Amino acid sequence: MSFIPAKPGLVEQFSAIVGHANCIADDAGMQPYLNDWRGNYTGKALAVVRPANTDEVAELVKLCARTQTPIVPQGGNTGMVGGGIPDTRGNALVLSLGRMNRIRGIDTENNTITVEAGVILQALQDAAMSAGRLFPLSLAAEGSCTIGGNLSTNAGGTAVLRYGNTRDLALGLEVVTPSGDIWQGLKGLRKDNTGYDLKHCFIGAEGTLGIITAAVLKLFPQPQSSVTAFAALPSPQAAVELLGSMRAAAGDRLVAFELVSRVCLDLVLRHFPGTAEPFAERHPWHVLIELNDTMPDAPLQEMLETELGRALERGQIADAAIASSEGQARALWKLREDISEAQRLEGKNVKHDISVPISRIPAFIDKCDAALIAAFPDISLVCFGHVGDGNLHYNCGLPDQGLGKADQINSIVYAHVDESGGSISAEHGLGQLKRDEITHHKTKIELDMMRALKRALDPTGIMNPGKVL
Ligand SMILES: Cc1cc2nc3c(=O)[nH]c(=O)nc-3n(C[C@H](O)[C@H](O)[C@H](O)COP(=O)(O)OP(=O)(O)OC[C@H]3O[C@@H](n4cnc5c(N)ncnc54)[C@H](O)[C@@H]3O)c2cc1C
């Protein structure tokens, strides 16, 4: 849709709502809000505002609705797909939720925490821990991403296998709608079958349907014991079989099951001097396994040793190392967590955050690897991820070619994702990056329903235009 040009005096009106100090309109001051951390997107804006509370957000949105001013909500700006960056027309308002960072309350009997959207994820985890509870969402950006951004992208992270995505952790939301009304949906209910569950419209909507200003989230008991292991395997098929037997044995105690290919491990060992090969011999595939329990003396180590021993006898694994201290567990996790940074240090690569049904992971990797190698014989395939969630980070590097072949690589990868009944965006969203691509992977009915929802909630299209749809 087309927008009318910004009205004179609009910035002064924003400033009157949030206060002069919280309305940034100079180029230098706006820069951190107009660029994404990966250096892929640069936008322009009328101003960046930093409201202090929900009423200020509602007033800002009403003003934007009256003047047809596009609004781009922003949390910690750690997103992967350019969802929080405005386009280059310069007529948008960036609405940064960072000042809305209060913990509104913790109810230990209901096991819930009520927080404002701008609370940094790590601060939320700390607040839960201070109350003797666990807020399980965890991702490498947790020191800077906000819960509003996590909800808006339905972030995944490392504990999805046990606790689910952010969507599964939310019980209620407070939202400012595109007309500037405040929807008070902050109920801490685990059962509420009273028609459409509206919160799910806004979770994962990437700011295109309204502004999340607060949330009620689930809390869990804190784990009191844990054990971490690294196992070497011959193939992804062996990893999927081992996942099945570990789940059968450990149930909900299995919290992480992460796949690491040989190429990934070599990248980490090359770029991070403190890291070491965990086994005497080199193996083609590995999994990082973590179990935890709320009982302090749970026999996790014995359980893991028994299962890994059986897997060794079956030939599912070739070797295994179980951490005997927290330091060793951290060292094993480092081999998984440093892969992205190691790959960045290696050079540009074409990233894919895809998911397929767990049972189809082995065939996907075999076929997609073969098709890419046939098309680009010197391609480097960096495959790792949350195999327990069917979510692979399947990144492709080509020496000396940067991102020049990205379109061809994407079309091969996404064709194999479709053939496997998968998704082209498992946890990062669509934003600007995959907005056009998604139209080739969803059915007309799906796209029509998404557009109908957008038209119903945001008829004038002011909420984060150009993202998702
Ligand atoms: C090192 C690193 C590791 C990461 N690991 C993971 C991972 O494991 N799993 C994963 O899922 N993601 C991961 N991410 C991506 C990113 O951290 C998540 O997408 C995160 O949820 C974004 O939160 P944010 O506050 O930074 O949101 P932003 O980047 O500011 O915004 C993201 C989107 O949400 C919208 N938005 C933000 N706040 C609101 C709000 N209050 N109301 C409405 N819309 C809003 C924005 O408009 C934008 O579309 C990683 C990022 C980095 C840098």
Side-chain angles (χ1 to χ4, degrees):
M1 80 165 292
S2 61
F3 291 97
I4 52 175
K7 291 216 163 53
L10 202 47
V11 174
E12 288 70 22
Q13 293 180 66
F14 295 142
S15 185
I17 296 170
V18 293
H20 181 67
N22 297 303
C23 179
I24 307 160
D26 63 293
D27 283 346
M30 288 197 289
Q31 278 323 297
Y33 303 88
L34 300 181
N35 295 283
D36 77 315
W37 66 276
R38 284 168 89 179
N40 291 340
Y41 296 99
T42 297
K44 290 185 182 158
L46 271 180
V48 176
V49 286
R50 304 183 73 239
N53 54 49
T54 305
D55 287 339
E56 286 186 8
V57 175
E59 264 195 81
L60 288 163
V61 175
K62 279 189 177 133
L63 176 57
C64 289
R66 272 201 310 276
T67 55
Q68 277 297 285
T69 305
I71 303 170
V72 181
Q74 196 178 92
N77 198 11
T78 68
M80 298 280 199
V81 291
I85 303 297
D87 62 26
T88 52
R89 287 179 294 177
N91 62 347
L93 177 70
V94 174
L95 202 151
S96 168
L97 280 296
R99 279 176 75 219
M100 292 183 56
N101 58 2
R102 284 184 314 133
I103 307 284
R104 289 194 188 165
I106 299 185
D107 181 342
T108 50
E109 289 178 345
N110 197 38
N111 271 319
T112 50
I113 185 166
T114 304
V115 295
E116 292 183 343
V119 172
I120 300 286
L121 176 55
Q122 203 165 54
L124 205 169
Q125 296 164 346
D126 291 347
M129 194 186 291
S130 311
R133 297 291 183 273
L134 171 78
F135 182 67
L137 180 65
S138 176
L139 41 129
E142 63 199 22
S144 27
C145 64
T146 63
I147 189 63
N150 302 146
L151 286 158
S152 299
T153 58
N154 186 26
T158 54
V160 174
L161 184 59
R162 164 73 179 85
Y163 300 99
N165 294 296
T166 310
R167 185 185 297 284
D168 303 300
L169 304 174
L171 292 175
L173 294 184
E174 178 187 88
V175 173
V176 173
T177 70
S179 54
D181 294 325
I182 299 171
W183 171 48
Q184 267 301 348
L186 284 178
K187 286 184 174 170
L189 300 177
R190 286 168 175 80
K191 286 189 165 182
D192 180 15
N193 284 348
T194 52
Y196 307 134
D197 196 338
L198 296 174
K199 65 178 175 290
H200 288 302
C201 295
F202 301 97
I203 299 172
E206 301 180 52
T208 59
L209 299 178
I211 297 171
I212 296 173
T213 49
V216 187
L217 305 160
K218 292 182 196 167
L219 296 178
F220 296 83
Q222 269 181 18
Q224 303 295 329
S225 51
S226 75
V227 61
T228 306
F230 211 72
L233 312 102
S235 64
Q237 177 62 38
V240 168
E241 287 168 14
L242 181 64
L243 172 67
S245 53
M246 289 302 311
R247 261 192 152 155
D252 268 358
R253 294 182 195 88
L254 182 63
V255 284
F257 197 92
E258 300 280 313
L259 189 70
V260 177
S261 72
R262 178 75 249 166
V263 176
C264 297
L265 192 53
D266 283 342
L267 276 176
V268 173
L269 299 178
R270 186 154 67 245
H271 288 286
F272 291 90
T275 54
E277 172 81 44
F279 304 112
E281 286 176 27
R282 287 167 60 81
H283 299 276
W285 293 93
H286 316 82
V287 285
L288 178 87
I289 304 168
E290 185 165 301
L291 308 185
N292 72 25
D293 199 294
T294 50
M295 280 169 35
D297 48 2
L300 297 177
Q301 174 117 5
E302 292 87 320
M303 187 187 292
L304 196 54
E305 276 169 6
T306 305
E307 282 314 309
L308 290 175
R310 288 180 181 149
L312 202 58
E313 281 166 21
R314 288 192 295 262
Q316 270 170 359
I317 65 170
D319 206 344
I322 299 182
S324 56
S325 66
E326 241 182 68
Q328 282 185 9
R330 270 201 304 278
L332 293 179
W333 266 106
K334 206 170 152 46
L335 298 176
R336 160 66 182 88
E337 283 173 344
D338 286 346
I339 296 172
S340 295
E341 180 59 10
Q343 202 185 8
R344 194 186 64 78
L345 294 169
E346 192 77 4
K348 288 261 185 205
N349 58 86
V350 185
K351 291 188 189 300
H352 305 100
D353 160 47
I354 56 112
S355 65
V356 298
I358 295 167
S359 51
R360 297 179 79 168
I361 287 177
F364 168 83
I365 295 176
D366 280 355
K367 289 185 186 172
C368 198
D369 279 12
L372 284 166
I373 290 165
F376 306 103
D378 52 352
I379 198 164
S380 154
L381 298 172
V382 179
C383 178
F384 61 101
H386 319 293
V387 71
D389 315 327
N391 177 193
L392 296 177
H393 299 301
Y394 189 85
N395 301 337
C396 307
L398 275 176
D400 309 325
Q401 298 200 40
L403 302 178
K405 301 278 188 233
D407 287 347
Q408 286 146 279
I409 292 173
N410 287 344
S411 69
I412 293 174
V413 173
Y414 292 153
H416 285 82
V417 169
D418 284 344
E419 190 194 298
S420 308
S423 164
I424 67 160
S425 186
E427 57 177 10
H428 295 159
L430 299 175
Q432 310 184 45
L433 183 68
K434 295 182 184 170
R435 179 197 60 205
D436 297 332
E437 183 66 39
I438 195 63
T439 59
H440 306 299
H441 305 276
K442 283 200 184 279
T443 63
K444 180 174 179 312
I445 294 178
E446 286 170 321
L447 291 168
D448 284 350
M449 285 195 286
M450 284 172 65
R451 290 179 184 129
L453 188 60
K454 172 76 175 168
R455 273 196 306 275
L457 293 183
D458 181 23
T460 56
I462 59 167
M463 284 305 310
N464 214 0
K467 317 293 166 52
V468 180
L469 287 168

